[in-house]
Amino acid sequence: MIIPKKLVLLATFGAAIIISENKALAQEKKTSGNPIVEGWYADPEAKIFNKQYWVYPTYSAKYNDQVFMDAFSSPDLVNWTKHPRVIDTAAVKWAKRAMWAPAVTEKDGKYYIFFGANDIQNNNEIGGIGVAVGDKPEGPFKDLLGKPLIGQIINKAQPIDQFVFKDDDGQYYMIYGGWGQCNIVKLKNDFTGIEPFKDGETYKLITPKDYVEGPVMFKRKGKYYFMWSEGGWTGPDYRVAYAIGDSPFGPFNRIGTILKQDANIATGAGHHSVIQVPGKDEWYIVYHRRPLTETDGNHRVTCIDKMYFDKDGKILPVKITNEGVAARKIK
């Protein structure tokens, strides 16, 4: 059958209009939307590298399928690019499953990703917290040690959910722990191990009231903000609380809940990280939550919303949204 030239031109013109409209819609995207990316992702670590926002989440699936991690980058918090498999178990021979909750930091031109693996239940199993290194924020990351950095259960804290905190004096600490207990350790300068504090202790217990997992620490106006997740990770009561201290070691007395479910938006909001726009008192919280109708515990998605403080430095409760946040480029 011969198609008249006029119909071909009309079809082509129509396709051009559709493509043009799609481009216009993409350009008109005013906010990030929540979730910020497609797919099941949890425990997001948010960082800024080279004037780009980065998010490193757990791939939220059954433990035996959690054998890799993806990353996402954005120039403005609205448009995200996926970087698949920045690390996987092929690069970490001792890790077999349950790769969880990455923590990422840059030091001396190298990028380090700390991760939990294998979900160990006792000190006879191989697993715990590992560290890998790469030349770029998107990796690929290669195992730094060939073994866990922390592979034992100390102070009843399961070695998972590590967070790396750099203090103003340049010292790096790692705060970690599941099973309702939280340790802080001092990292060696090359991240190949941990070293004792001045008092001889190596693992300091800093567990606040109601702590479950997912520690986060940041510094604002000379104060140390310590945040953590409470409740059950598969339940609607999952939430984030916080405390404020004068040092990385506390004491940290629970102040209140700042992130939780909204019956109109999502359930199980928790296990988060925090972004500060460089040089500005402007803050975002990146977290996971569960869609309202979802019953699969692994169906978690990564979201972002603004975080504010009151005049006394207290964190105001976060309003979780479907809209997310407006574009914010880093100058």
Side-chain angles (χ1 to χ4, degrees):
M1 185 175 95
I2 299 173
I3 300 173
K5 186 179 290 187
K6 185 180 288 187
L7 289 179
V8 173
L9 288 171
L10 284 171
T12 304
F13 182 63
I17 289 174
I18 292 170
I19 292 169
S20 178
E21 286 178 348
N22 287 339
K23 284 184 178 179
L25 286 171
Q27 290 170 353
E28 287 172 7
K29 188 179 180 185
K30 299 296 185 184
T31 66
S32 63
N34 277 327
I36 59 172
V37 296
E38 293 183 3
W40 293 17
Y41 292 103
D43 316 329
E45 162 82 328
K47 303 292 286 191
I48 294 175
F49 297 127
N50 307 321
K51 295 186 177 181
Q52 292 271 317
Y53 300 94
W54 287 81
V55 171
Y56 301 82
T58 299
Y59 171 57
S60 191
K62 293 179 180 179
Y63 290 0
N64 288 337
D65 295 330
Q66 293 176 315
V67 294
F68 66 90
M69 290 175 170
D70 297 329
F72 301 87
S73 64
S74 172
D76 58 7
L77 295 176
V78 170
N79 301 286
W80 293 88
T81 298
K82 181 177 178 178
H83 304 272
R85 290 185 175 259
V86 297
I87 188 171
D88 58 30
T89 51
V92 186
K93 299 303 182 185
W94 57 269
K96 305 299 181 186
R97 64 174 195 147
M99 292 188 77
W100 289 345
V104 185
T105 194
E106 183 273 336
K107 188 176 188 297
D108 300 329
K110 296 285 188 179
Y111 296 85
Y112 297 85
I113 186 167
F114 297 77
F115 56 90
N118 297 353
D119 184 32
I120 64 169
Q121 303 295 303
N122 57 64
N123 286 338
N124 296 318
E125 296 182 65
I126 296 173
I129 296 170
V131 57
V133 62
D135 294 323
K136 297 181 291 187
E138 64 269 35
F141 293 95
K142 302 298 181 184
D143 193 4
L144 183 65
L145 304 175
K147 62 180 181 179
L149 175 68
I150 296 178
Q152 297 283 293
I153 297 164
I154 308 292
N155 294 331
K156 298 182 180 179
Q158 189 187 27
I160 62 168
D161 289 6
Q162 59 296 316
F163 181 83
V164 175
F165 172 70
K166 181 184 179 183
D167 209 347
D168 293 341
D169 62 0
Q171 178 61 55
Y172 288 83
Y173 299 95
M174 187 164 67
I175 304 136
Y176 77 91
W179 294 351
Q181 298 295 335
C182 184
N183 288 326
I184 185 170
V185 297
K186 184 179 179 182
L187 288 168
K188 289 184 177 179
N189 191 51
D190 58 4
F191 297 155
T192 59
I194 59 177
E195 55 189 23
F197 297 102
K198 289 181 179 179
D199 62 5
E201 265 192 298
T202 303
Y203 296 84
K204 284 185 181 290
L205 199 61
I206 58 169
T207 312
K209 180 179 180 295
D210 295 337
Y211 173 94
V212 173
E213 59 193 13
V216 170
M217 186 175 287
F218 65 90
K219 198 171 183 180
R220 178 181 182 268
K221 296 186 177 181
K223 295 291 186 179
Y224 294 82
Y225 288 73
F226 182 36
M227 310 172 81
W228 61 90
S229 291
E230 302 174 345
W233 71 273
T234 60
D237 63 335
Y238 205 51
R239 59 193 181 272
V240 171
Y242 82 107
I244 301 175
D246 294 321
S247 84
F249 316 109
F252 292 110
N253 297 312
R254 188 186 190 280
I255 294 174
T257 302
I258 61 101
L259 182 76
K260 63 181 182 180
Q261 73 166 9
D262 181 327
N264 295 314
I265 303 290
T267 63
H271 203 128
H272 73 298
S273 54
V274 169
I275 301 172
Q276 179 187 10
V277 176
K280 304 288 184 181
D281 192 25
E282 189 176 343
W283 301 78
Y284 297 86
I285 186 167
V286 183
Y287 61 97
H288 76 240
R289 68 193 195 196
R290 188 167 289 108
L292 285 175
T293 58
E294 186 53 67
T295 57
D296 186 330
N298 287 313
H299 190 175
R300 298 171 291 174
V301 294
T302 290
C303 301
I304 182 170
D305 281 298
K306 291 292 292 262
M307 189 174 81
Y308 299 96
F309 300 80
D310 68 15
K311 60 182 177 58
D312 298 318
K314 301 287 181 63
I315 303 175
L316 296 173
V318 174
K319 176 176 173 53
I320 68 172
T321 69
N322 289 322
E323 295 77 22
V325 299
R328 180 60 162 97
K329 289 187 176 181
I330 301 169
K331 296 180 180 179

